[in-house]
Amino acid sequence: MIKRLFLIVFCLCFVVNTVHAGTVEPVFKQLKDPNLDGEDNEPSTSSIAITPDGKKMFVMDNLGNGATDGFAIFIYDLATAFDISTMDVTNRTIVNTTGLGDDLDFVAGKKIIKFNNDGKKLFLFSHFTAQFHNLEIPYDVASISASTLIPDDGLNYQTAYNTISALYGVAFSNDGTRMYLNDGHKNTTDITQVNLSTPFDPSSGTFAFNLNTEEIPDLRVNGFTFEIAFDDDGTRLYISEGLNNHTTVPTFMYVYKLSTPFELSSATYVGASQIKGNGNHVSAVGWTFGNNGMKAYIGTEDAQSDGSDDDVIYEYDLTCPYGIVLCETDAVTAIGAQVEIAKNVIHQNSSTIFKRFEWLRRNDERANLTNHEIKLNIHNPILAALKTNLENSFNNIEYNQVSLKKENSKINKKNWSYWSHGDISFGRVGDTASSKPKEVKTRGIMFGADKLVDKKIFGYAFRYGNDEVDIDDGSSDELDAQTFSLNIYSSVPLKNRSNLNLLFGASYLMIDQLGKDQVTGQRNGKQIYTSMSYENENEYTKYELIPFGKLEMGITQFSDYTDFGVVSNSVESHESVTFKTGNISAGLKFDNILYLNDDTISRNGFIEYIYDLSPNIDHHVKNHIDNTTLKKTINTHSLHNIKGNIGFEYMYSNNRTIAINYERFQSLDKSGHKDSLFIKFGSIKKHNANFDVIYDPINNNNTKISYLKQLGDFNLKLNSNYSLFSKIPDYGVNLEISGTF
């Protein structure tokens, strides 16, 4: 019994130590005093905000005394984004809100500054009153005036939705349909969720839920709670703590997990992280995240017991986005990037092969590639000068070349043609409310073989691609994918100079997820896809415009995988997922050919409108800390898109070709785009049958007739000798077979 009890105690101690060892702590970097020399409490930091680009910081004055008596906002420029050491304190801008609307509580107390998601609405709170402004230019706080004021909603936030002792923190959901009010008074701390029928309009709110934060096990009895904030997708809630004697007593940041984004009723307490800075205990009166959650800024007053470092701002680096207490990958962005890779594989395959259709139609008249030539072997130096002219005259004879084999276009058109195509793409998929921007780079090489039979095209193609996606959230997370695709394609001519192009393909994907250049997870995928297009080759207008329509559909299945992250508690399990993607498009293309002797140049391109048919994709992920499975929804990035292409192709008389095309894919309702460069080398296999007539007038008018044909790796050669003017003709036939191994 004693041994069993000892074992249980040991296990419990091990678990507790493991959990605490896995807690993610902010890393103190530096501090900055926003006050001018000799001017303490100007401002006395109460609340902090920073622009998304990190170039401007806003600080609320807590006391409202002296020259800035009233509700004052201090604006600082940062020479280096997100680096408070470059804060321009000397040239700061001070905005006083006195007389702009509500008589705000111009007394010492908590003040709060917030913006909506695009920075065009400014929210100012003080105890139980508020002042809101419309901003014509995002985050242009210096422009506020009586004309920018939003009419008073008449709300008393102490009693409007729930009884509040002290309004110390305010937050909004990303879409503005929820507002959160923190009652931070000691012994009564709680957070009220208010649902807004009109986004970012507090007057349209109704009470939804009250989260009692007094139940936090680590919360101090005499502690206050201040600012509240969510991570980017609303699945984590952060609450800061403050104390009157914060220079000697530790304070903490408390974290909740939400199984339903921005829904407080689904919140579960996770843990706490002690707030430290420059060797001191820090009371986070006002704070905010920055740089996509890779930075945290905490403002406080009286950081040192002797009064030095008064009203300073602390800057912290986070080991992962919003990495306080726990680290979680941005599943929406990461899985969204994987979906983009799957869609890009289909796009690259279909785009390349449909360019192949254009090339084959363009070269339809060049399908007969049998090579014929006349050779004259003249040894007499006097007659040698006539060789070129005589050869040319032979070549220009149409009916007298009875010794030459006639063309057989039907046989030639059954020959296989081989081609290769390289592509390089780079672009950016823009950010949304729930997904970070992604830098995309793609490289690929495709090899194909096809043949033309009775004006119908049939072929195969294999493509290898490498996709690299950098998630632009400051975390150094990225994806590296290797893809292998096999395609079968055909083009069938229809009536009235129109064509139906068809493609069916399958791909295998291997995706590595990396964090700080370390592989943290590996996922495999497979997909099938089809694409078809209809085009009318009747040229419209003098610019030879050709209309076309296209449909593209694909089904992709990703395996389940585990992302082990770069810190100890960021292990996440991702379930397998199967999803559909597709788009429908229509456009105009042009293809103008310039003839240069035996060579030709094609100037070609198109403009295409694309409507994305891909539905939203639900993906389930579980973090090992609380074993709670969350559903993440990856929304279609952009429904309306446009694609343009322009390029040229040089076709040599020896049936080889080189082409370069530039392509731009642009989202119309989002900020995403992709630039692609296609480089193609083409070659068509000749019939490899030569029929030669060699006439030697010096050597008894000797005439040689030679037929040479290549059969795979073997050459078949038939020679015959004949003297045109000899009374006793010399007949001779030689048959030679040679091979190359």
Side-chain angles (χ1 to χ4, degrees):
M1 182 67 180
I2 295 177
K3 290 183 178 180
R4 183 177 300 176
L5 180 60
F6 175 82
L7 181 60
I8 293 174
V9 172
F10 174 82
C11 291
L12 287 175
C13 291
F14 176 79
V15 170
V16 171
N17 288 335
T18 302
V19 171
H20 282 287
T23 299
V24 180
E25 303 285 351
V27 179
F28 169 76
K29 182 176 183 180
Q30 58 191 350
L31 57 83
K32 181 73 174 182
D33 188 343
N35 297 327
L36 294 173
D37 291 342
E39 292 189 18
D40 290 343
N41 297 328
E42 291 293 336
S44 181
T45 307
S46 172
S47 183
I48 299 174
I50 192 168
T51 54
D53 64 2
K55 290 297 188 70
K56 209 174 277 290
M57 180 171 280
F58 309 92
V59 176
M60 295 303 305
D61 182 19
N62 189 44
L63 297 179
N65 60 354
T68 61
D69 190 23
F71 201 41
I73 309 168
F74 289 69
I75 307 173
Y76 302 86
D77 291 325
L78 278 66
T80 301
F82 302 106
D83 183 355
I84 62 171
S85 67
T86 65
M87 179 187 292
D88 188 355
V89 177
T90 303
N91 297 308
R92 64 191 183 182
T93 300
I94 303 175
V95 178
N96 198 317
T97 63
T98 303
L100 294 184
D102 289 351
D103 291 329
L104 299 172
D105 298 333
F106 296 135
V107 296
K110 175 65 172 162
K111 312 281 195 302
I112 304 166
I113 180 171
K114 294 292 177 181
F115 295 92
N116 71 334
N117 53 356
D118 63 4
K120 287 191 172 184
K121 272 193 175 183
L122 171 66
F123 302 92
L124 305 174
F125 296 89
S126 177
H127 280 250
F128 308 117
T129 56
Q131 189 181 111
F132 307 148
H133 292 267
N134 285 320
L135 305 178
E136 183 175 349
I137 300 174
Y139 303 100
D140 185 15
V141 176
S143 68
I144 65 172
S145 64
S147 63
T148 64
L149 190 70
I150 299 175
D152 183 11
D153 56 22
L155 291 179
N156 182 337
Y157 288 89
Q158 185 175 14
T159 58
Y161 304 113
N162 193 22
T163 302
I164 296 176
S165 300
L167 182 59
Y168 283 171
V170 178
F172 291 93
S173 61
N174 291 335
D175 61 3
T177 59
R178 292 180 177 91
M179 179 176 64
Y180 309 88
L181 307 175
N182 180 36
D183 182 355
H185 197 273
K186 59 184 177 180
N187 302 323
T188 61
T189 63
D190 57 30
I191 302 174
T192 300
Q193 176 180 319
V194 180
N195 291 346
L196 307 179
S197 58
T198 302
F200 297 104
D201 180 5
S203 65
S204 68
T206 56
F207 173 84
F209 185 79
N210 189 70
L211 178 65
N212 183 7
T213 55
E214 280 293 315
E215 296 178 354
I216 295 177
D218 302 320
L219 187 65
R220 297 185 179 279
V221 175
N222 294 320
F224 296 86
T225 58
F226 287 97
E227 296 277 12
I228 55 177
F230 291 89
D231 66 345
D232 57 337
D233 64 0
T235 58
R236 279 177 282 177
L237 169 66
Y238 302 84
I239 309 170
S240 67
E241 181 187 33
L243 295 170
N244 291 331
N245 54 346
H246 52 77
T247 57
T248 58
V249 178
T251 55
F252 295 84
M253 188 78 72
Y254 302 103
V255 180
Y256 281 85
K257 281 286 297 292
L258 285 73
S259 58
T260 301
F262 295 107
E263 184 56 57
L264 291 188
S265 62
S266 69
T268 302
Y269 177 69
V270 176
S273 173
Q274 185 178 347
I275 306 172
K276 299 178 181 178
N278 198 31
N280 304 311
H281 298 306
V282 176
S283 182
V285 175
W287 67 278
T288 188
F289 287 113
N291 194 22
N292 293 315
M294 294 302 295
K295 290 279 190 181
Y297 304 92
I298 296 178
T300 187
E301 56 178 324
D302 300 327
Q304 300 280 17
S305 58
D306 60 0
S308 61
D309 288 338
D310 186 35
D311 304 311
V312 298
I313 299 173
Y314 294 87
E315 177 184 331
Y316 298 84
D317 288 328
L318 305 182
T319 56
C320 61
Y322 306 93
I324 300 177
V325 177
L326 74 161
C327 271
E328 293 180 315
T329 58
D330 186 348
V332 171
T333 300
I335 304 305
Q338 297 174 15
V339 171
E340 288 296 329
I341 290 174
K343 295 172 67 174
N344 189 53
V345 170
I346 299 175
H347 166 74
Q348 294 293 344
N349 278 278
S350 64
S351 181
T352 301
I353 290 176
F354 278 76
K355 286 182 176 62
R356 175 64 178 174
F357 288 140
E358 297 172 9
W359 186 88
L360 288 171
R361 295 297 178 194
R362 189 182 305 136
N363 291 272
D364 187 30
E365 297 178 355
R366 298 160 59 93
N368 180 3
L369 301 174
T370 302
N371 184 35
H372 307 284
E373 54 183 316
I374 302 296
K375 295 182 180 179
L376 298 179
N377 185 13
I378 301 179
H379 298 288
N380 189 324
I382 297 176
L383 299 178
L386 301 176
K387 175 182 178 181
T388 302
N389 292 334
L390 190 57
E391 286 179 339
N392 291 336
S393 65
F394 267 72
N395 287 329
N396 292 328
I397 295 176
E398 183 175 357
Y399 298 105
N400 294 335
Q401 297 179 19
V402 295
S403 62
L404 295 179
K405 182 179 179 182
K406 293 183 178 180
E407 300 177 357
N408 189 338
S409 61
K410 183 177 180 180
I411 295 177
N412 290 331
K413 287 185 179 181
K414 289 183 179 180
N415 288 335
W416 285 93
S417 301
Y418 302 97
W419 56 277
S420 62
H421 200 135
D423 58 82
I424 302 173
S425 303
F426 48 90
R428 179 182 177 89
V429 180
D431 56 332
T432 64
S434 60
S435 181
K436 300 296 183 300
K438 298 168 280 289
E439 302 288 343
V440 182
K441 301 177 184 176
T442 302
R443 296 178 292 270
I445 182 71
M446 179 176 277
F447 299 96
D450 46 41
K451 63 179 179 180
L452 183 66
V453 179
D454 297 329
K455 294 187 178 181
K456 297 178 181 178
I457 301 169
F458 178 79
Y460 303 90
F462 172 81
R463 181 181 185 272
Y464 166 76
N466 174 235
D467 294 71
E468 295 180 0
V469 181
D470 294 332
I471 299 175
D472 191 11
D473 62 357
S475 64
S476 300
D477 289 342
E478 58 184 297
L479 299 174
D480 187 283
Q482 314 289 324
T483 60
F484 306 88
S485 304
L486 179 63
N487 302 274
I488 302 174
Y489 58 91
S490 178
S491 182
V492 180
L494 305 175
K495 295 181 180 180
N496 301 323
R497 289 179 54 82
S498 58
N499 301 303
L500 180 64
N501 303 319
L502 303 170
L503 163 67
F504 179 80
S507 299
Y508 181 75
L509 302 85
M510 299 186 299
I511 303 176
D512 290 339
Q513 185 161 318
L514 297 91
K516 298 183 178 179
D517 296 326
Q518 302 178 24
V519 176
T520 61
Q522 294 179 309
R523 180 172 231 177
N524 298 327
K526 50 189 177 182
Q527 65 181 188
I528 57 174
Y529 52 89
T530 185
S531 184
M532 61 185 69
S533 72
Y534 171 84
E535 59 184 37
N536 190 325
E537 290 189 350
N538 291 293
E539 298 166 351
Y540 295 88
T541 77
K542 64 179 181 179
Y543 300 104
E544 302 177 354
L545 297 178
I546 300 173
F548 68 92
K550 184 178 177 183
L551 175 66
E552 186 176 277
M553 301 293 292
I555 300 176
T556 304
Q557 183 181 70
F558 282 146
S559 66
D560 57 358
Y561 80 108
T562 300
D563 178 14
F564 291 94
V566 293
V567 293
S568 59
N569 73 351
S570 62
V571 178
E572 293 178 343
S573 298
H574 295 259
E575 295 182 2
S576 62
V577 60
T578 301
F579 57 91
K580 301 175 183 178
T581 58
N583 58 71
I584 187 169
S585 63
L588 294 171
K589 70 177 183 178
F590 66 91
D591 195 344
N592 181 265
I593 297 179
L594 178 65
Y595 294 93
L596 303 174
N597 296 324
D598 293 331
D599 299 340
T600 60
I601 294 179
S602 168
R603 296 162 292 185
N604 54 84
F606 64 81
I607 187 74
E608 180 181 10
Y609 166 77
I610 302 172
Y611 182 81
D612 197 333
L613 300 173
S614 304
N616 294 338
I617 300 168
D618 291 334
H619 182 76
H620 295 87
V621 58
K622 179 174 68 175
N623 189 288
H624 89 106
I625 290 181
D626 52 13
N627 289 323
T628 300
T629 298
L630 301 178
K631 181 177 75 173
K632 305 284 187 175
T633 299
I634 295 89
N635 298 312
T636 300
H637 175 69
S638 178
L639 293 177
H640 305 281
N641 310 274
I642 193 168
K643 183 167 66 173
N645 181 293
I646 191 169
F648 77 92
E649 182 176 46
Y650 196 97
M651 293 161 283
Y652 298 90
S653 58
N654 62 0
N655 305 304
R656 297 185 184 277
T657 179
I658 181 173
I660 298 177
N661 282 76
Y662 168 74
E663 187 171 287
R664 172 83 173 193
F665 181 96
Q666 180 67 55
S667 301
L668 296 179
D669 47 6
K670 299 290 181 182
S671 60
H673 71 272
K674 182 180 296 181
D675 298 282
S676 300
L677 184 65
F678 296 90
I679 304 172
K680 177 175 65 178
F681 299 95
S683 174
I684 298 181
K685 183 180 179 181
K686 295 182 179 180
H687 190 56
N688 292 322
N690 296 330
F691 197 89
D692 301 333
V693 177
I694 303 175
Y695 172 59
D696 191 350
I698 304 300
N699 187 16
N700 195 28
N701 295 311
N702 187 50
T703 304
K704 291 184 178 181
I705 300 174
S706 176
Y707 178 78
L708 175 64
K709 180 174 177 60
Q710 183 176 352
L711 300 172
D713 294 329
F714 295 93
N715 294 323
L716 173 65
K717 187 174 184 180
L718 182 67
N719 294 321
S720 175
N721 298 323
Y722 183 75
S723 179
L724 293 177
F725 301 103
S726 174
K727 294 181 179 181
I728 305 176
D730 178 17
Y731 295 97
V733 178
N734 299 318
L735 179 64
E736 299 177 7
I737 298 178
S738 60
T740 302
F741 302 94

Tab-separated table of all heavy atoms in Angstrom, residues 451-484:
chain	number	residue	atom	x	y	z
A	451	LYS	N	0.322	12.266	-80.224
A	451	LYS	CA	0.310	12.090	-81.667
A	451	LYS	C	-1.007	12.603	-82.227
A	451	LYS	O	-2.020	12.713	-81.526
A	451	LYS	CB	0.545	10.639	-82.053
A	451	LYS	CG	-0.506	9.653	-81.590
A	451	LYS	CD	-0.131	8.259	-82.084
A	451	LYS	CE	-1.123	7.197	-81.650
A	451	LYS	NZ	-0.739	5.856	-82.144
A	452	LEU	N	-0.955	12.876	-83.523
A	452	LEU	CA	-2.087	13.443	-84.223
A	452	LEU	C	-2.592	12.414	-85.226
A	452	LEU	O	-1.861	12.000	-86.128
A	452	LEU	CB	-1.668	14.737	-84.931
A	452	LEU	CG	-2.742	15.531	-85.671
A	452	LEU	CD1	-3.750	16.082	-84.694
A	452	LEU	CD2	-2.088	16.663	-86.462
A	453	VAL	N	-3.823	11.965	-85.049
A	453	VAL	CA	-4.432	10.983	-85.935
A	453	VAL	C	-5.781	11.535	-86.396
A	453	VAL	O	-6.680	11.755	-85.577
A	453	VAL	CB	-4.620	9.627	-85.232
A	453	VAL	CG1	-5.285	8.637	-86.178
A	453	VAL	CG2	-3.296	9.097	-84.724
A	454	ASP	N	-5.878	11.751	-87.713
A	454	ASP	CA	-7.129	12.277	-88.268
A	454	ASP	C	-7.582	13.539	-87.538
A	454	ASP	O	-8.747	13.698	-87.163
A	454	ASP	CB	-8.224	11.216	-88.220
A	454	ASP	CG	-7.885	10.002	-89.074
A	454	ASP	OD1	-7.202	10.187	-90.093
A	454	ASP	OD2	-8.297	8.897	-88.701
A	455	LYS	N	-6.612	14.411	-87.264
A	455	LYS	CA	-6.845	15.694	-86.606
A	455	LYS	C	-7.292	15.566	-85.148
A	455	LYS	O	-7.719	16.541	-84.545
A	455	LYS	CB	-7.865	16.524	-87.382
A	455	LYS	CG	-7.368	16.948	-88.754
A	455	LYS	CD	-8.337	17.902	-89.409
A	455	LYS	CE	-7.804	18.365	-90.762
A	455	LYS	NZ	-8.711	19.323	-91.418
A	456	LYS	N	-7.192	14.378	-84.578
A	456	LYS	CA	-7.463	14.176	-83.160
A	456	LYS	C	-6.146	14.008	-82.420
A	456	LYS	O	-5.264	13.287	-82.874
A	456	LYS	CB	-8.348	12.950	-82.949
A	456	LYS	CG	-9.729	13.052	-83.572
A	456	LYS	CD	-10.522	11.769	-83.353
A	456	LYS	CE	-11.894	11.867	-84.012
A	456	LYS	NZ	-12.669	10.610	-83.856
A	457	ILE	N	-6.051	14.662	-81.283
A	457	ILE	CA	-4.820	14.620	-80.487
A	457	ILE	C	-5.023	13.687	-79.311
A	457	ILE	O	-6.056	13.721	-78.639
A	457	ILE	CB	-4.454	16.029	-79.986
A	457	ILE	CG1	-4.247	16.982	-81.164
A	457	ILE	CG2	-3.204	15.982	-79.110
A	457	ILE	CD1	-4.152	18.433	-80.749
A	458	PHE	N	-4.008	12.878	-79.056
A	458	PHE	CA	-4.039	11.980	-77.904
A	458	PHE	C	-2.636	11.921	-77.316
A	458	PHE	O	-1.656	11.810	-78.054
A	458	PHE	CB	-4.483	10.578	-78.317
A	458	PHE	CG	-4.497	9.588	-77.184
A	458	PHE	CD1	-5.546	9.560	-76.271
A	458	PHE	CD2	-3.439	8.714	-77.005
A	458	PHE	CE1	-5.557	8.667	-75.224
A	458	PHE	CE2	-3.435	7.803	-75.954
A	458	PHE	CZ	-4.506	7.780	-75.063
A	459	GLY	N	-2.519	12.022	-75.980
A	459	GLY	CA	-1.182	12.019	-75.401
A	459	GLY	C	-1.146	11.755	-73.917
A	459	GLY	O	-2.184	11.664	-73.238
A	460	TYR	N	0.092	11.629	-73.436
A	460	TYR	CA	0.376	11.430	-72.017
A	460	TYR	C	1.385	12.494	-71.575
A	460	TYR	O	2.212	12.960	-72.378
A	460	TYR	CB	0.989	10.050	-71.759
A	460	TYR	CG	0.166	8.884	-72.232
A	460	TYR	CD1	0.319	8.374	-73.517
A	460	TYR	CD2	-0.759	8.269	-71.383
A	460	TYR	CE1	-0.432	7.287	-73.957
A	460	TYR	CE2	-1.509	7.180	-71.806
A	460	TYR	CZ	-1.338	6.700	-73.095
A	460	TYR	OH	-2.074	5.627	-73.515
A	461	ALA	N	1.358	12.837	-70.303
A	461	ALA	CA	2.332	13.793	-69.772
A	461	ALA	C	2.582	13.509	-68.297
A	461	ALA	O	1.665	13.145	-67.561
A	461	ALA	CB	1.844	15.227	-69.957
A	462	PHE	N	3.836	13.686	-67.891
A	462	PHE	CA	4.232	13.519	-66.487
A	462	PHE	C	4.832	14.830	-66.003
A	462	PHE	O	5.621	15.464	-66.714
A	462	PHE	CB	5.251	12.394	-66.346
A	462	PHE	CG	5.851	12.298	-64.967
A	462	PHE	CD1	5.169	11.660	-63.939
A	462	PHE	CD2	7.085	12.871	-64.698
A	462	PHE	CE1	5.714	11.580	-62.665
A	462	PHE	CE2	7.636	12.799	-63.423
A	462	PHE	CZ	6.948	12.147	-62.407
A	463	ARG	N	4.448	15.254	-64.808
A	463	ARG	CA	4.979	16.488	-64.234
A	463	ARG	C	5.514	16.254	-62.837
A	463	ARG	O	4.878	15.594	-62.015
A	463	ARG	CB	3.913	17.582	-64.172
A	463	ARG	CG	4.427	18.913	-63.597
A	463	ARG	CD	3.321	19.971	-63.543
A	463	ARG	NE	3.828	21.262	-63.113
A	463	ARG	CZ	3.922	21.655	-61.844
A	463	ARG	NH1	3.505	20.833	-60.873
A	463	ARG	NH2	4.404	22.845	-61.524
A	464	TYR	N	6.697	16.821	-62.580
A	464	TYR	CA	7.240	16.896	-61.215
A	464	TYR	C	7.215	18.364	-60.794
A	464	TYR	O	7.646	19.247	-61.541
A	464	TYR	CB	8.670	16.373	-61.155
A	464	TYR	CG	9.368	16.754	-59.864
A	464	TYR	CD1	9.066	16.090	-58.670
A	464	TYR	CD2	10.281	17.810	-59.823
A	464	TYR	CE1	9.677	16.459	-57.481
A	464	TYR	CE2	10.892	18.177	-58.641
A	464	TYR	CZ	10.589	17.499	-57.471
A	464	TYR	OH	11.190	17.872	-56.289
A	465	GLY	N	6.684	18.610	-59.595
A	465	GLY	CA	6.614	19.980	-59.102
A	465	GLY	C	7.126	20.110	-57.684
A	465	GLY	O	7.089	19.159	-56.900
A	466	ASN	N	7.608	21.290	-57.382
A	466	ASN	CA	8.058	21.624	-56.027
A	466	ASN	C	7.413	22.948	-55.625
A	466	ASN	O	7.607	23.964	-56.286
A	466	ASN	CB	9.582	21.736	-55.980
A	466	ASN	CG	10.092	22.223	-54.627
A	466	ASN	OD1	10.815	23.194	-54.548
A	466	ASN	ND2	9.699	21.561	-53.563
A	467	ASP	N	6.606	22.903	-54.565
A	467	ASP	CA	5.915	24.089	-54.058
A	467	ASP	C	6.481	24.465	-52.699
A	467	ASP	O	6.592	23.609	-51.812
A	467	ASP	CB	4.416	23.827	-53.932
A	467	ASP	CG	3.740	23.619	-55.265
A	467	ASP	OD1	3.965	22.566	-55.898
A	467	ASP	OD2	2.981	24.497	-55.675
A	468	GLU	N	6.810	25.736	-52.524
A	468	GLU	CA	7.263	26.261	-51.240
A	468	GLU	C	6.318	27.382	-50.823
A	468	GLU	O	6.073	28.311	-51.591
A	468	GLU	CB	8.688	26.785	-51.332
A	468	GLU	CG	9.728	25.714	-51.635
A	468	GLU	CD	11.126	26.281	-51.728
A	468	GLU	OE1	11.276	27.517	-51.562
A	468	GLU	OE2	12.068	25.512	-51.958
A	469	VAL	N	5.788	27.281	-49.604
A	469	VAL	CA	4.854	28.285	-49.088
A	469	VAL	C	5.403	28.811	-47.772
A	469	VAL	O	5.578	28.048	-46.813
A	469	VAL	CB	3.448	27.693	-48.877
A	469	VAL	CG1	2.506	28.768	-48.361
A	469	VAL	CG2	2.918	27.084	-50.167
A	470	ASP	N	5.695	30.096	-47.731
A	470	ASP	CA	6.130	30.759	-46.501
A	470	ASP	C	4.936	31.478	-45.886
A	470	ASP	O	4.330	32.344	-46.526
A	470	ASP	CB	7.251	31.758	-46.786
A	470	ASP	CG	8.529	31.084	-47.249
A	470	ASP	OD1	8.746	29.923	-46.862
A	470	ASP	OD2	9.299	31.713	-48.007
A	471	ILE	N	4.613	31.106	-44.651
A	471	ILE	CA	3.501	31.749	-43.945
A	471	ILE	C	4.007	33.051	-43.342
A	471	ILE	O	4.904	33.060	-42.494
A	471	ILE	CB	2.931	30.817	-42.867
A	471	ILE	CG1	2.409	29.527	-43.526
A	471	ILE	CG2	1.826	31.504	-42.089
A	471	ILE	CD1	1.933	28.489	-42.546
A	472	ASP	N	3.446	34.143	-43.797
A	472	ASP	CA	3.951	35.468	-43.445
A	472	ASP	C	3.318	35.957	-42.143
A	472	ASP	O	2.514	36.883	-42.125
A	472	ASP	CB	3.651	36.441	-44.581
A	472	ASP	CG	4.366	37.771	-44.407
A	472	ASP	OD1	5.234	37.855	-43.529
A	472	ASP	OD2	4.046	38.718	-45.145
A	473	ASP	N	3.694	35.292	-41.030
A	473	ASP	CA	3.187	35.725	-39.729
A	473	ASP	C	4.315	35.939	-38.728
A	473	ASP	O	4.069	36.070	-37.534
A	473	ASP	CB	2.186	34.701	-39.178
A	473	ASP	CG	2.817	33.331	-38.949
A	473	ASP	OD1	4.013	33.162	-39.278
A	473	ASP	OD2	2.130	32.443	-38.419
A	474	GLY	N	5.557	35.967	-39.225
A	474	GLY	CA	6.700	36.182	-38.356
A	474	GLY	C	7.182	34.958	-37.629
A	474	GLY	O	8.132	35.026	-36.855
A	475	SER	N	6.563	33.790	-37.870
A	475	SER	CA	6.903	32.585	-37.122
A	475	SER	C	7.915	31.705	-37.823
A	475	SER	O	8.348	30.702	-37.275
A	475	SER	CB	5.637	31.764	-36.884
A	475	SER	OG	5.091	31.318	-38.108
A	476	SER	N	8.302	32.028	-39.050
A	476	SER	CA	9.213	31.218	-39.867
A	476	SER	C	8.618	29.869	-40.223
A	476	SER	O	9.344	28.948	-40.585
A	476	SER	CB	10.570	31.021	-39.148
A	476	SER	OG	11.191	32.253	-38.892
A	477	ASP	N	7.299	29.719	-40.115
A	477	ASP	CA	6.648	28.477	-40.527
A	477	ASP	C	6.548	28.447	-42.046
A	477	ASP	O	6.297	29.471	-42.684
A	477	ASP	CB	5.251	28.367	-39.916
A	477	ASP	CG	5.297	28.105	-38.414
A	477	ASP	OD1	6.352	27.678	-37.930
A	477	ASP	OD2	4.270	28.338	-37.744
A	478	GLU	N	6.733	27.258	-42.606
A	478	GLU	CA	6.650	27.120	-44.048
A	478	GLU	C	6.281	25.698	-44.415
A	478	GLU	O	6.327	24.778	-43.584
A	478	GLU	CB	7.965	27.513	-44.716
A	478	GLU	CG	9.168	26.720	-44.237
A	478	GLU	CD	10.456	27.205	-44.864
A	478	GLU	OE1	10.577	27.113	-46.111
A	478	GLU	OE2	11.339	27.679	-44.127
A	479	LEU	N	5.893	25.512	-45.667
A	479	LEU	CA	5.557	24.204	-46.204
A	479	LEU	C	6.425	23.938	-47.422
A	479	LEU	O	6.703	24.852	-48.208
A	479	LEU	CB	4.082	24.134	-46.607
A	479	LEU	CG	3.039	24.357	-45.513
A	479	LEU	CD1	1.646	24.393	-46.122
A	479	LEU	CD2	3.121	23.281	-44.460
A	480	ASP	N	6.853	22.688	-47.559
A	480	ASP	CA	7.626	22.270	-48.718
A	480	ASP	C	6.973	21.021	-49.286
A	480	ASP	O	6.835	20.017	-48.580
A	480	ASP	CB	9.078	21.990	-48.336
A	480	ASP	CG	9.944	21.727	-49.559
A	480	ASP	OD1	9.865	20.613	-50.115
A	480	ASP	OD2	10.714	22.619	-49.960
A	481	ALA	N	6.551	21.073	-50.547
A	481	ALA	CA	5.790	19.966	-51.136
A	481	ALA	C	6.477	19.450	-52.390
A	481	ALA	O	6.959	20.236	-53.219
A	481	ALA	CB	4.369	20.407	-51.462
A	482	GLN	N	6.520	18.129	-52.523
A	482	GLN	CA	6.962	17.462	-53.744
A	482	GLN	C	5.724	16.803	-54.355
A	482	GLN	O	5.002	16.087	-53.661
A	482	GLN	CB	8.022	16.401	-53.442
A	482	GLN	CG	9.118	16.850	-52.490
A	482	GLN	CD	10.057	17.858	-53.122
A	482	GLN	OE1	10.359	17.770	-54.302
A	482	GLN	NE2	10.512	18.822	-52.337
A	483	THR	N	5.481	17.034	-55.644
A	483	THR	CA	4.286	16.498	-56.276
A	483	THR	C	4.655	15.767	-57.564
A	483	THR	O	5.551	16.194	-58.304
A	483	THR	CB	3.280	17.619	-56.602
A	483	THR	OG1	3.874	18.558	-57.500
A	483	THR	CG2	2.879	18.350	-55.327
A	484	PHE	N	3.936	14.667	-57.821
A	484	PHE	CA	4.142	13.857	-59.017
A	484	PHE	C	2.779	13.649	-59.679
A	484	PHE	O	1.839	13.173	-59.033
A	484	PHE	CB	4.764	12.509	-58.661
A	484	PHE	CG	6.028	12.618	-57.856
A	484	PHE	CD1	5.975	12.690	-56.463
A	484	PHE	CD2	7.270	12.680	-58.470
A	484	PHE	CE1	7.135	12.795	-55.707
A	484	PHE	CE2	8.433	12.789	-57.729
A	484	PHE	CZ	8.372	12.846	-56.345
